[in-house]
Amino acid sequence: MLSAYHSLANTALSFYDPLGLGRAALDYWRDSIERQVLFLDVMRQRGNQYLEHMEQTKPNVLGFDAEILMDGRELPRPVNYELLRIQPPEGVEIDPDMRPFVVVDPRAGHGPGIGGFKPDSEIGVALRAGHPCYFIGFLPFPVQGQTVEDVADAEIAFLREINTRHSHISEKPMVVGNCQAGWQLMMAAALEPECFGPILIAGAPLSYWAGERGKAPMRYSAGMTGGSWLTAFASDLGAGLFDGAWLVQNFEKLNPANTLWTKQYRLYANVDEEAERYLNFERWWGGHVVLGGEEIQYIVDNLFVGNRLSCAKLTTRDGRRIDLRNVRSPIVVFCSQGDDITPPPQALGWIRDLYADVDDIQAHEQTIVYCVHDSTGHLGIFVSGNVSRKEHAEFTANMDYIDVLPPGLYETQVTEKAAQGARESAHIDGDYLLEFSPRTLEDVEEIVMPIDEDERRFATVERVSQINLGIYQMMVQPWMQAIMTPSAARWIRRMHPIRLGYKLFSDRNPLMVPVPVMAEIVKRERHVIASDNTWRILEGMVSDQIAASLDAYRRQRDQMTETLFMQLYGQPWLQTMVGLGATAEPLSRRPGIEPEHRRFIAARKSELTERIEEGGSLEAVLRALIYILGGAPATDERNFQRLKASREEFKGELDLAAFKALVRDQFFILRMDRKAALDALPAMLTDASNAEIDADLAHIEHVLAASGPLSEHAAERLAAVREQFDRARPSPSSGQ
């Protein structure tokens, strides 16, 4: 009937609408009605998908088949986590001798599986590279009484199991932690560093007080609500369980334009192409889980409000201090300027919180690499296919290289392989080139932009939070715990606005019954209008105006929130009342050096001093390369590929772990006494013939040539190395 009416109207308009505006309006009217019906049908499918997902015992959005290896509920201190082994898809070959790859999923309100959500995901990239892959996920409800420490211990137990399964190789697993899983993973690695290989933390907040003014509005949330008492109240409403939908709602409030308009309008405007993508994403975004009240209170008090992880102020129940300086594996921090949930200052601020300078990092034998993306959002860091194909692919392909980097602080950039010449590209894995540049703490501070007055304000929030939480726990919590029952808590969770929004558009709502029938009719006779339709263009303009208005509201809201926060918690009288005093002296948050670590450094120096002249050609070549390149064994992956390929050229076999230890030893020897280390080169080559010395020098030049022409400074150092190698040549009378 609609089509017949439309034909009749078109015939009439052909006489009275010479410019075609009326015909365009009629086409647009028909198309918009059809899109509305299809939009409602997608929303109905979303609601049904949500209900089906939530009714599953172990909901998961992993895009790969997996086998459960360990159930955290069977551990001595049970938790709702599982260790899964990913089954490679058809056509993908796994090399059992390659380093295992582990993804730890974030438990921040959403369900598990985001790290393996799509073929172009962190797991997908690792599988295509041939790595055995594992996944640490979780169930929707926690085990009663489980704590954050229990979860960290479970992750350690899972890593031990993986190490046992791959005991035939020397490399420890590469472990990836997204968002919340990043700080959780770092806690576990600080407690048991020997279980972990290189660690990649993507979009993970570790320094919660850090942030640039005018950005990162989430860091003001605790101050504007009076601290963590609200978390305790929400847990009491859940009869000891915290609904993750509250966390999801906080994320959505950050960008009201996207939440209230853009996301839905994009589906409505392109409903014929967008439906599948929208439903796939909503399957994860709407898979809300529940956290234990004790867990979330620990997280909010110690991390979000207290910022104690980045300053080594956390201790376990048995007295172990959680100090990130204990992590022995290389740490790769991946963050983005476009991330409003974990902006770069929060991802990198822990470095300046823990270390005085790069010498301090090197003294702890730590290798820290950071990469700052220009634009991708928080979810894009570990969901975007473009990011996975580029940054994650390069990190995965070059973890052996990162594992060999000497201690220090580096920034990495991923550049197009096409920009390199054919000769230079020969030693590049994949389509991109991974380049490293040594950095200092001053470079990090330019990103973090610390302000001492703001540190005092957040410290004031921490004290106010403790006071308010204490009052709540004394005067209100006993009553809440007495009246709330599990049944009432379940009813409250079901009535949460976000959860209710899914259910109202599902088939459980009788008003949605005609929608699938109408959608089927529309699909059979779909009339898509051209993109140049005048009214369709006008629709897009109106949509842009609505999004711009909501963005303007967000900016105004965030600016007012920041101003109020700064004014309130910057008051000297409030800071004095909570015990911080009104002095202008900055708060010292950097932890001290443990006496045990000082003794370790002294013993390490004494050991290396005795070994300055030890070694042969291999040690001499590596020492020379590190010296020429100014401290690092390579400036990008090309040099490492040459080193890796040429290890067999030296006498005997040297696995990657031994190679890494050798590089680090030579680095520290050079750092400790550069002159003595260089002067010792002839002694290390005493038994070498002229031909062997020539081969060693040719090897050095071959490695250096992999990344292009040498700088003037590096050329001077190469000349100094040549001179030392020439001093080692046997005299002509020796006959060699």
Side-chain angles (χ1 to χ4, degrees):
M1 183 176 177
L2 185 63
S3 297
Y5 173 77
H6 186 269
S7 298
L8 182 62
N10 262 334
T11 303
L13 283 172
S14 63
F15 294 100
Y16 302 103
D17 184 29
L19 296 179
L21 293 178
R23 186 180 297 105
L26 189 61
D27 291 342
Y28 172 76
W29 171 75
R30 179 179 62 183
D31 175 71
S32 65
I33 290 178
E34 292 178 354
R35 281 188 286 143
Q36 290 171 41
V37 172
L38 295 176
F39 175 83
L40 278 175
D41 190 54
V42 173
M43 301 305 285
R44 179 189 65 85
Q45 295 177 57
R46 185 189 75 152
N48 292 342
Q49 175 181 269
Y50 168 80
L51 294 172
E52 179 184 347
H53 189 74
M54 297 307 295
E55 288 171 357
Q56 295 177 11
T57 305
K58 297 182 179 181
N60 203 305
V61 296
L62 266 177
F64 302 91
D65 294 331
E67 168 195 3
I68 298 177
L69 297 181
M70 289 183 68
D71 189 333
R73 294 172 295 180
E74 299 174 358
L75 293 173
R77 293 191 64 88
V79 295
N80 65 330
Y81 278 72
E82 297 177 324
L83 172 64
L84 293 81
R85 179 169 57 191
I86 302 297
Q87 304 292 342
E90 187 177 351
V92 174
E93 295 292 332
I94 297 300
D95 184 352
D97 293 329
M98 291 187 72
R99 183 196 299 271
F101 186 96
V102 186
V103 172
V104 184
D105 226 27
R107 184 162 159 253
H110 305 96
I114 193 64
F117 183 48
K118 299 185 292 187
D120 282 326
S121 62
E122 294 161 334
I123 289 178
V125 166
L127 284 172
R128 288 196 296 273
H131 293 271
C133 289
Y134 298 85
F135 185 79
I136 297 177
F138 51 87
L139 304 177
F141 286 87
V143 175
Q144 185 175 5
Q146 78 177 45
T147 65
V148 172
E149 290 181 28
D150 295 334
V151 173
D153 288 339
E155 291 177 350
I156 292 169
F158 294 156
L159 264 295
R160 285 175 176 156
E161 172 66 18
I162 294 170
N163 280 318
T164 300
R165 288 174 174 270
H166 295 269
S167 58
H168 62 285
I169 62 174
S170 59
E171 293 87 6
K172 293 295 196 304
M174 172 185 172
V175 192
V176 179
N178 299 316
C179 188
Q180 172 269 351
W183 59 256
Q184 189 172 282
L185 187 63
M186 292 287 281
M187 289 175 63
L191 292 172
E192 292 291 338
E194 298 306 318
C195 292
F196 292 78
I199 297 171
L200 169 61
I201 51 176
L206 292 174
S207 186
Y208 296 85
W209 292 3
E212 181 182 352
R213 286 194 183 181
K215 298 181 180 179
M218 280 191 73
R219 64 185 184 137
Y220 304 125
S221 299
M224 302 315 296
T225 57
S228 68
W229 72 271
L230 196 58
T231 304
F233 175 69
S235 298
D236 291 337
L237 276 179
L241 297 175
F242 182 90
D243 187 0
W246 294 112
L247 297 176
V248 177
Q249 189 175 63
N250 284 340
F251 297 149
E252 292 191 337
K253 286 180 179 178
L254 282 175
N255 190 348
N258 184 68
T259 299
L260 301 177
W261 182 258
T262 306
K263 183 168 70 171
Q264 279 71 30
Y265 175 73
R266 186 184 300 117
L267 172 63
Y268 169 71
N270 307 284
V271 69
D272 301 286
E273 299 86 19
E274 280 285 306
E276 183 177 358
R277 185 204 62 80
Y278 181 86
L279 288 172
N280 284 337
F281 178 77
E282 285 293 313
R283 183 166 167 257
W284 172 72
W285 186 256
H288 310 122
V289 297
V290 175
L291 291 84
E294 187 177 350
E295 284 183 285
I296 191 64
Q297 198 65 45
Y298 178 99
I299 293 168
V300 174
D301 286 336
N302 292 295
L303 303 179
F304 298 168
V305 178
N307 197 37
R308 294 171 189 163
L309 177 61
S310 72
C311 305
K313 292 187 176 181
L314 287 178
T315 55
T316 63
R317 68 176 73 89
D318 56 358
R320 293 175 294 168
R321 189 167 78 158
I322 301 175
D323 189 342
L324 300 184
R325 295 173 298 180
N326 292 336
V327 179
R328 299 272 71 85
S329 308
I331 303 167
V332 181
V333 182
F334 185 32
C335 54
S336 174
Q337 297 287 1
D339 187 350
D340 55 358
I341 294 176
T342 306
Q346 292 188 6
L348 300 173
W350 63 278
I351 301 174
R352 67 169 295 274
D353 288 343
L354 285 175
Y355 302 103
D357 48 35
V358 172
D359 288 343
D360 201 3
I361 296 175
Q362 293 172 344
H364 283 83
E365 297 196 10
Q366 281 201 313
T367 302
I368 303 173
V369 179
Y370 67 89
C371 178
V372 182
H373 195 278
D374 292 334
S375 59
T376 192
H378 182 71
L379 292 177
I381 291 176
F382 40 90
V383 173
S384 169
N386 290 334
V387 171
S388 291
R389 285 189 293 270
K390 186 178 179 183
E391 279 82 5
H392 282 293
E394 285 302 305
F395 294 145
T396 301
N398 291 285
M399 268 303 163
D400 285 347
Y401 170 41
I402 294 172
D403 208 8
V404 174
L405 280 173
L409 179 64
Y410 305 88
E411 181 178 11
T412 182
Q413 293 179 326
V414 182
T415 57
E416 295 283 350
K417 179 178 177 179
Q420 311 298 323
R423 179 172 173 270
E424 289 82 359
S425 298
H427 300 296
I428 302 175
D429 283 338
D431 297 324
Y432 301 93
L433 173 67
L434 201 63
E435 297 181 282
F436 292 84
S437 303
R439 291 290 183 254
T440 65
L441 262 293
E442 288 72 21
D443 296 311
V444 171
E445 290 196 349
E446 287 182 8
I447 299 173
V448 177
M449 291 180 286
I451 302 175
D452 291 335
E453 293 83 357
D454 288 357
E455 294 273 311
R456 185 172 294 277
R457 288 182 172 94
F458 284 104
T460 304
V461 172
E462 181 184 10
R463 299 287 181 88
V464 169
S465 177
Q466 292 169 353
I467 294 168
N468 289 343
L469 178 61
I471 294 173
Y472 173 82
Q473 289 174 334
M474 180 178 67
M475 303 184 67
V476 181
Q477 192 170 61
W479 295 96
M480 290 292 300
Q481 292 178 345
I483 64 175
M484 287 305 303
T485 65
S487 297
R490 283 194 295 272
W491 183 86
I492 290 173
R493 282 198 296 273
R494 289 169 183 167
M495 295 304 293
H496 190 284
I498 291 183
R499 294 179 184 271
L500 198 59
Y502 286 91
K503 295 176 184 176
L504 287 177
F505 285 95
S506 72
D507 283 339
R508 294 187 185 179
N509 184 348
L511 296 177
M512 297 296 291
V513 170
V515 171
V517 179
M518 295 167 58
E520 187 62 32
I521 294 172
V522 168
K523 289 176 183 177
R524 285 201 304 263
E525 299 184 25
R526 179 76 172 100
H527 303 86
V528 181
I529 60 172
S531 59
D532 61 353
N533 182 286
T534 303
W535 301 99
R536 181 64 187 268
I537 293 172
L538 182 60
E539 175 194 289
M541 294 171 63
V542 172
S543 173
D544 291 342
Q545 287 300 313
I546 293 172
S549 299
L550 289 170
D551 274 335
Y553 155 74
R554 172 185 56 81
R555 288 192 296 269
Q556 189 68 24
R557 178 200 65 185
D558 293 348
Q559 183 179 354
M560 291 177 61
T561 300
E562 182 175 82
T563 301
L564 182 58
F565 178 92
M566 295 297 173
Q567 291 293 328
L568 176 61
Y569 289 100
Q571 295 294 323
W573 63 266
L574 180 59
Q575 295 177 357
T576 301
M577 287 184 65
V578 298
L580 291 177
T583 63
E585 296 180 4
L587 293 174
S588 175
R589 298 192 56 80
R590 184 171 293 118
I593 304 297
E594 295 287 345
E596 295 86 353
H597 185 70
R598 295 184 186 278
R599 288 195 291 271
F600 166 77
I601 292 175
R604 179 83 163 136
K605 285 183 176 179
S606 176
E607 173 197 355
L608 292 175
T609 299
E610 296 175 358
R611 294 171 51 192
I612 285 181
E613 294 189 359
E614 288 185 6
S617 294
L618 175 57
E619 289 79 2
V621 167
L622 287 177
R623 186 180 299 182
L625 282 168
I626 294 170
Y627 169 69
I628 294 167
L629 293 168
T635 53
D636 58 49
E637 64 180 272
R638 291 171 292 188
N639 281 332
F640 174 68
Q641 294 297 339
R642 264 301 303 154
L643 279 174
K644 183 178 177 183
S646 60
R647 277 186 309 194
E648 291 76 14
E649 295 177 14
F650 295 102
K651 296 177 181 178
E653 287 204 17
L654 197 64
D655 63 30
L656 186 62
F659 183 62
K660 173 183 175 180
L662 186 57
V663 169
R664 287 180 174 249
D665 283 351
Q666 297 307 316
F667 169 80
F668 279 114
I669 288 173
L670 274 166
R671 182 170 173 266
M672 187 175 56
D673 192 336
R674 180 183 298 173
K675 185 177 185 305
L678 288 177
D679 289 343
L681 288 175
M684 298 166 69
L685 298 168
T686 301
D687 297 329
S689 66
N690 277 315
E692 289 171 334
I693 292 175
D694 287 338
D696 290 342
L697 286 171
H699 178 79
I700 292 172
E701 291 178 353
H702 194 178
V703 171
L704 295 175
S707 55
L710 290 180
S711 65
E712 182 178 347
H713 184 62
E716 292 175 357
R717 291 191 169 199
L718 175 59
V721 165
R722 281 182 170 280
E723 183 179 341
Q724 295 292 349
F725 273 59
D726 287 339
R727 287 176 52 198
R729 293 184 183 277
S731 61
S733 59
S734 65
Q736 292 188 11

